[in-house]
């Protein structure tokens, strides 16, 4: 196994772990009565900040490019839906400040913790929310009853794997410091968001910070006061990759939309050559495919995966599915 393959494995392992953290510092109502969704991260959850994607993005829903790296709805859409909340407006599409009270998606395709590809970092996304907080538009009491999804990190690893630039062991100081920077960056921004009043976080790949003494001090170190539901994304993807037929997929490993020359990295889903001709092939029916492009699931793929979290107990760690989890705890 080459170094880059090992790193790809490390990256692929780190990326899929979603940790659902609900931190209850005080009695503020239950999660299923949250009043808005705020989302931070990268192209897994971006719904418009990276600008419109070209055709065929959005082909399944809404029928035109809608700023998602998907043929239809992505995790942000299903996330808002599970809380019965309206889809948060992409930050760049807010018509005025007060619209932010209904929820905002700050996520940006290519986003990262460590300025990996030069796109909006998690720090900057949180700065954007802070501006609305300082203007007293988003208040502590409002944000304390909101739900936050953070899904980022993959770009921090993938950007450094371009041209096999990690010519080092996966246990190297370089990688260790990168992991530390990514985890610290997520942790730091959660602390900032908590400072604005937010209590309810769905976060990718964090250590169990809310059991740390600076949090538990509020209960005289008697309880973590956290409810953590780990969504086992690795297991969920693996299950669908290997049992695609059970969910109506005819293709699980082959993407719907891909480069005509699969090994030509200058081509990608949606790209054209200088003559305006497609340099990709596009399937007829994305609902038969688990994966839409080089990495992102189709709408049908996300729906199947999210249903595993909703109705099954085998794809979360802790023996509760997300519905049972929502209904078990009172904050
Ligand atoms: C803000 O924009 C929304 C959506 O266009 C609109 O419904 C609302 O009236 C506006 N609010 C203010 C204060 O301008
Ligand atoms: C990767 O290699 C290509 C071709 O040699 C080069 O143009 C590009 O700048 C390199 N990218 C990085 C991030 O080193
Ligand atoms: C905190 O807990 C310790 C025992 O673990 C107890 O002695 C102490 O009185 C408690 N302090 C408060 C303020 O409840």
């Amino acid at each position: 196994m080459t170094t880059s393959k090992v790193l790809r494995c490390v990256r692929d392992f780190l990326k899929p772990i979603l940790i659902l953290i609900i931190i209850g510092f005080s009695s503020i109502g239950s999660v299923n009565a949250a009043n808005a969704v705020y989302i931070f991260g990268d192209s897994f959850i971006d719904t418009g900040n990276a600008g419109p994607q070209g055709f065929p993005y959005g082909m399944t829903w809404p029928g035109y490019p809608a700023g998602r790296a998907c043929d239809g709805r992505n995790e942000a859409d299903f996330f808002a839906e599970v809380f019965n909340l309206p889809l948060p407006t992409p930050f760049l599409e807010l018509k005025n400040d007060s619209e932010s009270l209904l929820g905002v998606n700050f996520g940006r395709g290519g986003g990262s913790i460590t300025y990996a590809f030069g796109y909006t970092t998690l720090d900057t996304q949180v700065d954007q929310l802070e501006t609305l907080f300082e203007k007293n538009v988003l208040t502590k009491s409002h944000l304390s009853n909101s739900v936050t999804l953070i899904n980022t990190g993959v770009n921090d690893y993938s950007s450094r794997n371009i041209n096999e630039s990690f010519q080092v062991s996966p246990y190297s100081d370089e990688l260790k410091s990168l992991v530390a920077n990514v985890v610290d960056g997520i942790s730091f921004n959660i602390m900032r968001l908590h400072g604005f009043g937010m209590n309810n976080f769905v976060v990718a790949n964090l250590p169990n910070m809310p059991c740390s003494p600076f949090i538990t001090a509020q209960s005289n170190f008697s309880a973590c006061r956290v409810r953590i539901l780990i969504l086992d994304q690795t297991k969920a993807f693996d299950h669908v990759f290997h049992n695609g037929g059970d969910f109506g997929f005819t293709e699980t490993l082959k993407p719907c939309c891909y480069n005509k020359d699969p090994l030509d990295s200058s081509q990608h889903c949606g790209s054209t050559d200088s003559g305006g001709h497609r340099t990709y092939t596009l399937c007829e029916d994305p609902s038969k495919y688990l994966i839409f492009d080089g990495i992102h699931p189709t709408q049908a793929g996300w729906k199947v995966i999210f249903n595993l979290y909703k109705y099954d107990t085998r794809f979360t760690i802790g023996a509760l599915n997300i519905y049972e989890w929502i209904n078990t705890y009172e904050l």
Side-chain angles (χ1 to χ4, degrees), residues 159 162-163 165:
S159 66
I162 290 171
N163 293 1
S165 61

Side-chain angles (χ1 to χ4, degrees), residues 95-99:
K95 291 187 192 64
N96 54 51
D97 287 349
S98 53
E99 210 184 353

Side-chain angles (χ1 to χ4, degrees), residues 67 78 147 173 214 243 253 318:
F78 291 112
V147 189
D173 288 346
F214 69 88
N243 300 281
L253 299 180

